Amino acid sequence: MSDTHQPILIIGSFVSPYVRKVLACLELKGLAYTVDPITPFYGNDEFSRLSPLRRIPVLVQGDLALSDSSVICAWLDEAYPDRPALLPEGSPAERARARWLEEFADSRMGDVFIWDLFFQKRVHPLVWGEPGDAARIEAAINENIPAILDYLEGEVPQDGFLFGAQMGLADVALATFFPNASYAGCQVDAARWPRTAGFVARCLAQPAFTKPMSYEAAQLRSSQAERRDALLAVGAPLSEVTYGLPEPRKGVMVL
């Protein structure tokens, strides 16, 4: 049983959009945490025990281990009700809409922004030394990402955030994929999707994003072997122990 006064550990790379989402929500809640910045394909056997699907992020607090960013964020709201709420506190309809937008982001945006674009252009060549799937990249850039942006253009507000003046879980869930798109050379065309471009910029400028994202440049510049030292050098809150291996191994993995 979890003791919410115990330290919170997040297992997962700072560059993962799902880890970024959880870290932003921890920041919104004002909760301290440490990070073991591994990717799933470097996870050891104990990582497999904590995350049977070998996915990140994983939250560990005492005897509690939770996988899946949506499960973790829901737990944060329930475990720390005295902290700012991640879901809107208005009507059930608003909370349902927030959950839907989080699901749309986790599933559709994750499939396209991460598996079809970021993984193919950045991760696959870097980790496995093989070129990504050019057809998937082309379809993502020319068809699937524009369709997602067309949808978001009708959902996000002109000003502020989805449910008022404060950023919440739904805003975080949508915005967290855009840094990875940028790392893969894909930017939002502000002339074609002005509301989405403005919304994403507002979200990513919030301290809940800027603080954990300040460590990403150091991670992107470093090799796996150099990662911990590079992150410690820029002040990242790393855990003392790691669940990572020195070499990658193939398996089920979600960034």
Side-chain angles (χ1 to χ4, degrees):
M1 186 173 181
S2 174
D3 176 357
T4 56
H5 294 94
Q6 291 191 55
I8 293 173
L9 167 65
I10 301 298
I11 304 172
S13 163
F14 284 103
V15 179
S16 160
Y18 299 101
V19 172
R20 189 185 298 119
K21 169 187 167 184
V22 166
L23 297 184
C25 288
L26 284 163
E27 294 287 345
L28 289 174
K29 285 282 191 182
L31 295 168
Y33 57 86
T34 59
V35 178
D36 178 14
I38 68 167
T39 45
F41 25 84
Y42 284 91
N44 61 21
D45 289 341
E46 179 62 9
F47 170 76
S48 296
R49 187 187 70 80
L50 296 172
S51 180
L53 299 181
R54 293 184 62 79
R55 296 178 177 178
I56 56 173
V58 180
L59 179 146
V60 179
Q61 186 184 61
D63 295 332
L64 177 70
L66 298 174
S67 298
D68 186 88
S69 64
S70 294
V71 170
I72 292 170
C73 291
W75 176 82
L76 288 173
D77 247 1
E78 294 179 3
Y80 298 93
D82 57 326
R83 304 295 182 112
L86 299 175
L87 288 174
E89 296 185 286
S91 67
E94 285 188 329
R95 289 190 290 279
R97 180 170 178 250
R99 291 187 180 101
W100 155 245
L101 290 171
E102 182 187 18
E103 171 59 26
F104 176 80
D106 284 356
S107 56
R108 183 56 178 162
M109 293 179 71
D111 285 347
V112 174
F113 281 71
I114 302 307
W115 290 111
D116 292 345
L117 180 64
F118 180 72
F119 189 83
Q120 301 302 324
K121 288 195 73 173
R122 293 296 302 267
V123 179
H124 207 281
L126 181 65
V127 175
W128 306 118
E130 302 169 352
D133 186 328
R136 291 180 71 174
I137 295 169
E138 182 179 2
I141 293 174
N142 295 326
E143 300 173 25
N144 296 326
I145 289 177
I148 288 170
L149 296 177
D150 285 343
Y151 174 71
L152 293 181
E153 192 70 8
E155 296 293 321
V156 301
Q158 181 71 41
D159 301 297
F161 300 99
L162 285 161
F163 299 99
Q166 302 298 319
M167 185 170 72
L169 173 58
D171 306 285
V172 169
L174 293 176
T176 191
F177 289 96
F178 287 89
N180 293 80
S182 177
Y183 298 152
C186 182
Q187 304 286 344
V188 180
D189 182 348
R192 184 174 175 182
W193 298 288
R195 292 169 73 98
T196 304
F199 169 79
V200 171
R202 286 193 300 279
C203 290
L204 296 182
Q206 295 297 300
F209 271 117
T210 59
K211 180 180 175 182
M213 283 185 65
S214 67
Y215 311 124
E216 293 188 27
Q219 178 170 329
L220 288 167
R221 289 194 304 267
S222 61
S223 68
Q224 175 68 21
E226 300 167 334
R227 178 174 298 177
R228 289 185 66 87
D229 288 342
L231 288 168
L232 287 170
V234 296
L238 300 193
S239 60
E240 293 184 4
V241 298
T242 180
Y243 293 89
L245 296 168
E247 298 294 333
R249 64 185 191 185
K250 292 193 175 184
V252 177
M253 50 198 174
V254 171
L255 293 170

